[in-house]
Amino acid sequence: CQIVPILQANCAFSGCHVQGGNGSGDFETYAGVKAKVDNGSFENRAILGQPGPMPYGGLLPDSVLSVLQAWIDKGAPNN
């Protein structure tokens, strides 16, 4: 699956979306990521950059965003 490496490199690292990190939500687990997908905040922040982009440095490249969007459109399966 392409999603896990994307999240590990850009979201789930020390200080961000890990247990005890500064980011809202724990992206070290599928349940943590799926909760953010289901409530719309993952797409809003990571894909649309609203109200601000994630990661903080700016949106990921279009090629990565299209992979994430396709995964979301499929219901964010755990595979």
Side-chain angles (χ1 to χ4, degrees):
C1 179
Q2 297 175 326
I3 303 305
V4 171
I6 292 170
L7 295 178
Q8 288 174 337
N10 298 286
C11 311
F13 55 85
S14 179
C16 282
H17 295 283
V18 294
Q19 189 174 36
N22 295 329
S24 172
D26 180 359
F27 284 19
E28 293 179 296
T29 66
Y30 173 74
V33 175
K34 185 71 161 105
K36 294 296 186 176
V37 170
D38 289 348
N39 74 16
S41 64
F42 183 89
E43 185 173 18
N44 286 339
R45 297 298 297 266
I47 307 290
L48 303 174
Q50 300 297 324
M54 282 287 141
Y56 284 119
L59 291 175
L60 298 171
D62 288 343
S63 60
V64 174
L65 294 179
S66 65
V67 169
L68 292 173
Q69 186 65 62
W71 176 69
I72 292 168
D73 291 346
K74 292 177 185 173
N78 185 11
N79 57 8

